[in-house]
């Protein structure tokens, strides 16, 4: 039954896209962007959110991303060629790519603080530094959706659904900290929406590039997987386990995301 749902969804989206992968990528990108935007709108009700909600949301997203990195990206990359080498090279490139962006692009985390060139620290407002940090997180997710759609439509759709689900709390994570320190709610929501459409852009870039250069797809899948793993392990997990309280809730959130992605992946049979 679950397998039929994915197959029927793939057939339907192909029909409305006239079989064009870029239109499929557009709809998938729009879905993840809208999910992020809806999550950002939670900032309207910021004062009523329970304590620890942001950490729970981030841990849920981390659980989804770790499973998706393997089931939708790294393992398919190995499966295409039957060799670990292209996937392994791609993983290393993905780690190096996000490392370079993380080091040379100015941004700021809520707990770890400012990262990037010291000369740029006082040249951008804090609100933009926070948004850039989230966009860095979203780039691998968009690339994951785009490349997985090119690899296999059904795998790509499952990845899109999973990334979209975890994008809702991520949108909240973007807007909520800003909403709690500002009286105006429109700007935090706009920042969350911006991060979502930056992710959509990466969906389109990934799908277009690997449609043109299909022989690079195993490397691209590995790259997206490595980038997601780097963001999760280096940025998200340290951020959510920064305090001494809420460890149980955070861990539950992680495994909830972990199980959700495994469940969605099982839809492929």
């Amino acid at each position: 039954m679950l397998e039929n749902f994915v197959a029927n969804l793939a057939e339907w989206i192909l029909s409305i896209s006239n079989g064009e992968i870029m239109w499929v990528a557009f709809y998938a990108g729009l879905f993840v962007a809208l999910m992020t935007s809806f999550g950002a709108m939670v900032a309207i009700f910021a004062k009523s959110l329970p304590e620890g909600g942001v950490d729970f949301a981030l841990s849920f997203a981390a659980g989804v991303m770790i499973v998706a990195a393997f089931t939708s990206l790294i393992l398919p990359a190995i499966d295409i060629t039957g060799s670990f080498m292209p996937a392994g090279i791609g993983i290393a490139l993905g780690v190096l790519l996000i490392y370079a962006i993380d080091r040379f692009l100015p941004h700021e985390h809520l707990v770890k603080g400012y990262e990037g060139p010291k000369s740029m620290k006082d040249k951008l407002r804090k609100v933009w530094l926070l948004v850039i940090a989230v966009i860095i997180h979203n780039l691998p997710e968009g690339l994951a959706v785009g490349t997985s759609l090119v690899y296999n439509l059904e795998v790509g759709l499952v990845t899109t659904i999973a990334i979209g689900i975890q994008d809702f709390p991520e949108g909240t994570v973007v807007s909520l900290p800003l909403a709690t320190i500002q009286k105006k709610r429109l700007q935090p929501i706009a920042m969350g929406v911006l991060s979502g459409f930056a992710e959509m852009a990466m969906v389109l870039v990934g799908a277009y590039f690997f449609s043109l250069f299909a022989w690079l797809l195993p490397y691209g899948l590995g790259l997206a997987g490595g980038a997601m793993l780097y963001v999760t392990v280096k940025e998200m997990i340290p951020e959510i386990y920064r305090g001494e309280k809420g460890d149980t809730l955070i861990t539950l959130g992680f495994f909830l995301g972990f199980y959700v992605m495994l469940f969605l992946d099982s839809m492929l049979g």
Side-chain angles (χ1 to χ4, degrees):
M1 181 176 178
L2 295 176
E3 296 91 335
N4 291 337
F5 169 79
V6 177
N8 291 335
L9 179 61
E11 184 178 349
W12 175 76
I13 199 166
L14 276 177
S15 67
I16 65 172
S17 305
N18 295 321
E20 295 288 338
I21 188 63
M22 287 309 299
W23 276 110
V24 175
F26 174 82
Y27 294 130
L30 184 61
F31 171 72
V32 297
L34 289 176
M35 289 296 285
T36 305
S37 301
F38 293 147
M41 292 178 185
V42 174
I44 298 173
F45 311 101
K47 291 183 179 179
S48 63
L49 287 178
E51 184 180 356
V54 170
D55 290 338
F56 182 85
L58 273 176
S59 62
F60 175 87
V64 171
M65 289 174 68
I66 281 185
V67 177
F70 286 97
T71 61
S72 299
L73 299 167
I74 294 173
L75 294 180
I78 297 172
D79 186 59
I80 290 176
T81 60
S83 169
F84 171 75
M85 188 61 68
I89 293 173
I91 293 169
L93 291 174
V95 170
L96 290 174
L97 173 64
I98 303 301
Y99 171 79
I101 293 174
D102 204 33
R103 183 173 180 181
F104 297 110
L105 191 65
H107 60 285
E108 185 166 340
H109 301 284
L110 292 173
V111 176
K112 295 178 65 177
Y114 178 83
E115 291 185 340
K118 294 182 179 179
S119 60
M120 295 293 294
K121 183 175 182 179
D122 299 321
K123 294 184 179 181
L124 290 173
R125 294 174 59 190
K126 183 173 182 177
V127 61
W128 283 109
L129 292 172
L130 290 170
V131 171
I132 292 172
V134 177
I135 289 176
I136 293 173
H137 286 187
N138 285 356
L139 294 182
E141 297 171 18
L143 186 61
V145 171
T147 53
S148 61
L149 285 170
V150 175
Y151 163 69
N152 180 283
L153 182 57
E154 293 186 9
V155 171
L157 290 176
V158 169
T159 305
T160 301
I161 294 170
I163 295 296
I165 290 172
Q166 62 98 39
D167 272 341
F168 184 91
E170 278 201 345
T172 304
V173 169
V174 179
S175 59
L176 184 56
L178 300 176
T180 56
I181 61 176
Q182 297 184 43
K183 293 182 179 180
K184 295 180 179 180
R185 297 299 170 88
L186 183 59
Q187 186 183 52
I189 293 172
M191 295 302 178
V193 172
L194 175 63
S195 71
F197 280 90
E199 184 175 347
M200 179 181 180
M202 284 304 298
V203 174
L204 296 172
V205 168
Y208 182 72
F209 182 85
F210 290 107
S211 294
L212 291 178
F213 303 99
W215 64 277
L216 288 173
L217 186 58
Y219 299 91
L221 289 167
L223 185 149
M228 285 181 68
L229 286 175
Y230 179 89
V231 166
T232 305
V233 174
K234 196 263 182 181
E235 303 286 354
M236 296 180 71
I237 291 179
E239 192 85 358
I240 58 182
Y241 279 106
R242 65 190 181 277
E244 298 179 356
K245 296 182 180 179
D247 284 7
T248 301
L249 182 65
I250 290 170
T251 304
L252 286 174
F254 174 85
F255 280 105
L256 177 61
F258 188 92
Y259 272 103
V260 165
M261 185 61 214
L262 278 180
F263 171 75
L264 290 173
D265 187 64
S266 73
M267 294 171 74
L268 295 177

